[in-house]
Amino acid sequence: MIKIDTKAALGAVNEKEINALRPAAEAAARTLADGDGAGNDFLGWLHLPSSIDEQQLAAVEQCAARMRQDCELVVAVGIGGSYLGAKAVIEALNDQFAAYKSATGTRVLFAGNNIGEDYMHDLMTLLQGRKWGIIVISKSGTTTEPAIAFRLLKGQLERELGREWASKHIVAITDAARGALRGLATQEGYETFVIPDNVGGRFSVLTPVGLLPIAVAGFDIRALVAGAAEMEQGSDEMMLQYAQVRNALYQSGKKIEILVNFEPRLHFLAEWWKQLYGESEGKDGKGIFPASVDFTTDLHSMGQWIQDGERTIFETVLTVESQHHEVVIPHDEADLDGLNYIAGRRLVEVNHKAELGTRLAHVDGGVPCMVITLPTIDERTLGQLIYFFEKACGISGYMLGVNPFNQPGVEAYKKNMFALLGKAGYEAQTAALEARL
Ligand code: PA5
C-alpha cells in the first residue's frame, strides 16, 4: 500500500498549525462524502473504483483485445483530462525504450493534445503503410485540438485502409448523448464508450477514457481499478494529512508545490497531477502552483533554484521502494572514474541515496518536504496513487474555498483563438484583439 510521511514538512509549519487545519480537512471530506459542496454534480469519480462492474470492464477489455489483435499502432486523440491519465499510466508501466524495439505488441500513441504542425506531420508519416486505429476521446466533443487531429487522422485512415476498416477501428469515448463527436460516432457506426456526466475530464482516468488506452497498451485495468478501490474503501487519513499539510504550507507562504520523482517513468504521472491540482485549485485568485521535476536529471538544472532560490516552495517526493530489474555497477581495475567505491552496488541503492541526500539538503535549505512511498510501480500501486491524489484534491480544494470541479479559466484563451481565427460569432472580439496587436 502507498503511504505518506509528512515529518519533513515540519519547520516551515509546526504541528499546532497543521493540527489546526484538521477540522477544516474533516469538514471538506464530509462535504465530499455528503455531496453538498460546490460542483457536487461532478462527484461521480468518488465511487468509480467500487462501482465499475464486470460488464463495463469486460466491454473495455474486449474492445482493447480487438484493437490489439488488428492494430500495430493505436492513436489516442484527446487533451487535458482526456489524455493525461492514460499517458501517465502507460508511461509508468511501459518498457521505456519500447518505441525503439521491434514487435513488442500494440503501441498507443497520442495526438490532439497540441496543435504542433510538425508533430502531426511526423505522426501521420509514421502511420503510413501500417495497420492502425484511433481512440478519439472528448467529453464535450467540441474541443478544438482533438477535433483537428481527429479530422486529419480519420481522413488518413479512411484513405489508406478503407472506410470499412476505419469504422471498425475508430472508437469514440464521449458524452452519452450530446456533442459533435456523439453525432459523428452514431452516423459512422463507431464503437463508443460513455464518459459519465458526473465525472469531469481530469477525474476520468478510471472510466473508459483512461481504461481503454491503458488496456490497448497491454496493461491490467482490473488491477488498476482494484488498487483504486483499496484506497476508496480504506481510511481517509492519508488524504486528510496531505490536504492539511499542503494547505498549512500554503498559508505560511509556500505558494508552489513541486512533485518530485526519481524515476523517469513517473514523468507523466506528474503531468497528470499538475492538471488535477492546477485546474482544480487555481481559481478565484487562489491556489498552490503545481510544478514538477524529474530527479536526478533536474538536479543539474532546477536543483540550484530549489536549494537556494526564493523560499516559496515545498516538495512532495514520490519514492519507489523496489525496481523490476537489477543493474549492478561493475568493478574496474583501473578505476579511472573513481567509482570502485560503489562497485557491486545496485543502481537503485545509489538512486535512493541520491534521493535521501537531496531531501535532507532541501529541508536544510528551507524546502519542506512530504514523502509518498510506492512499494513498486505496477497497476495496483498506480490505482492507489491516482485515487489518493483525486480524493486529496477534492478535500484540499474545498479547504481552499474553491469549486474544485470546474475550470472557467480555460475558456479565455479559446475565445481569443476563435476570434483570431475568424470563427463566426466572434467578430466583435476579433476587432478588439487585432487593435491590440
Ligand atoms: O479536466 C477537464 O475537464 C479538462 O481538462 C478536459 O479534460 C479537457 O479540456 C478536454 O475536454 P474534452 O474531453 O471535452 O475534449
Side-chain angles (χ1 to χ4, degrees):
M1 201 73 177
I2 62 167
K3 46 186 199 255
I4 190 166
D5 183 345
T6 59
K7 278 194 304 291
L10 292 173
V13 283
N14 59 39
E15 271 190 69
K16 208 167 147 214
E17 287 163 319
I18 294 173
N19 292 340
L21 290 183
R22 188 66 177 198
E26 285 175 351
R30 259 194 318 276
T31 304
L32 264 188
D34 296 346
D36 54 9
N40 59 358
D41 40 352
F42 283 101
L43 293 179
W45 56 272
L46 203 51
H47 299 298
L48 259 183
S50 59
S51 63
I52 299 175
D53 60 25
E54 173 57 33
Q55 210 186 342
Q56 287 167 301
L57 286 170
V60 169
E61 285 172 339
Q62 272 162 26
C63 177
R66 186 171 59 77
M67 296 293 267
R68 280 174 68 73
Q69 188 180 334
D70 295 350
C71 302
E72 184 189 346
L73 298 170
V74 171
V75 186
V77 176
I79 194 165
S82 289
Y83 106 98
L84 277 165
K87 176 87 174 165
V89 173
I90 292 171
E91 294 279 314
L93 296 174
N94 238 352
D95 177 326
Q96 292 162 89
F97 294 92
Y100 305 97
K101 294 182 178 168
S102 57
T104 47
T106 303
R107 283 195 204 122
V108 177
L109 308 174
F110 291 86
N113 55 66
N114 62 63
I115 320 177
E117 189 164 5
D118 286 347
Y119 182 94
M120 211 55 209
H121 168 270
D122 293 351
L123 173 63
M124 292 173 79
T125 306
L126 173 78
L127 294 169
Q128 281 164 13
R130 298 179 191 248
K131 294 266 191 257
W132 58 285
I134 303 172
I135 304 171
V136 55
I137 309 169
S138 178
K139 186 173 187 202
S140 63
T142 56
T143 309
T144 308
E145 292 90 337
I148 293 172
F150 183 56
R151 179 184 282 210
L152 286 162
L153 293 170
K154 172 181 183 288
Q156 180 179 1
L157 192 61
E158 287 174 349
R159 274 192 313 278
E160 291 178 3
L161 293 171
R163 286 200 67 158
E164 199 185 328
W165 171 278
S167 77
K168 289 205 178 98
H169 297 92
I170 295 178
V171 181
I173 306 179
T174 189
D175 181 88
R178 296 178 298 268
L181 185 55
R182 170 60 56 189
L184 186 68
T186 308
Q187 182 188 302
E188 303 279 351
Y190 301 151
E191 180 165 6
T192 58
F193 289 90
V194 170
I195 308 176
D197 264 352
N198 60 358
V199 180
R202 59 190 172 276
F203 290 85
S204 69
V205 53
L206 299 172
T207 73
V209 169
L211 298 181
L212 183 61
I214 292 166
V216 170
F219 300 111
D220 182 354
I221 56 170
R222 286 173 194 263
L224 186 79
V225 169
E230 284 170 336
M231 247 326 150
E232 179 197 332
Q233 285 155 352
S235 144
D236 279 351
E237 185 52 36
M238 267 187 70
M239 292 80 145
L240 291 169
Q241 271 187 44
Y242 179 56
Q244 234 174 296
V245 174
R246 64 196 298 281
N247 276 285
L249 289 167
Y250 180 61
Q251 287 172 15
S252 80
K254 305 290 185 194
K255 305 287 187 191
I256 300 164
E257 177 176 8
I258 306 176
L259 191 72
V260 177
N261 73 74
F262 283 77
E263 298 292 338
R265 57 172 71 240
L266 292 180
H267 175 84
F268 270 95
L269 200 285
E271 296 302 314
W272 169 82
W273 171 88
K274 283 195 281 193
Q275 188 213 359
L276 183 64
Y277 281 79
E279 273 193 347
S280 300
E281 293 195 317
K283 55 196 69 159
D284 308 334
K286 299 189 263 193
I288 296 170
F289 183 85
S292 65
V293 287
D294 302 320
F295 285 166
T296 62
T297 311
D298 293 336
L299 284 170
H300 298 262
S301 60
M302 295 303 291
Q304 171 61 38
W305 199 106
I306 294 169
Q307 187 69 45
D308 262 351
E310 192 179 74
R311 302 298 70 188
T312 46
I313 56 174
F314 66 97
E315 289 180 322
T316 298
V317 178
L318 296 176
T319 184
V320 180
E321 280 173 335
S322 77
Q323 299 284 304
H324 299 298
H325 307 286
E326 267 192 41
V327 178
V328 175
I329 297 169
H331 179 83
D332 183 272
E333 264 326 306
D335 196 28
L336 293 177
D337 52 15
L339 285 181
N340 274 355
Y341 79 105
I342 48 173
R345 289 154 95 169
R346 286 183 57 190
L347 283 189
V348 67
E349 190 190 338
V350 180
N351 205 18
H352 278 157
K353 299 293 183 220
E355 179 188 322
L356 209 52
T358 305
R359 276 163 37 194
L360 293 169
H362 288 180
V363 168
D364 288 346
V367 181
C369 181
M370 282 188 272
V371 181
I372 295 170
T373 303
L374 286 65
T376 187
I377 299 176
D378 60 13
E379 287 92 333
R380 183 175 158 225
T381 311
L382 290 171
Q384 292 170 4
L385 192 65
I386 285 168
Y387 190 83
F388 160 75
F389 275 137
E390 287 182 348
K391 186 152 190 189
C393 182
I395 295 172
S396 185
Y398 279 152
M399 289 176 75
L400 192 65
V402 298
N403 174 357
F405 307 112
N406 65 4
Q407 54 284 330
V410 300
E411 295 309 313
Y413 99 91
K414 291 186 194 169
K415 285 187 191 137
N416 285 352
M417 177 177 73
F418 293 149
L420 292 168
L421 285 168
K423 188 171 179 175
Y426 290 83
E427 294 76 7
Q429 290 98 313
T430 308
L433 288 173
E434 283 179 354
R436 288 169 54 192
L437 298 175

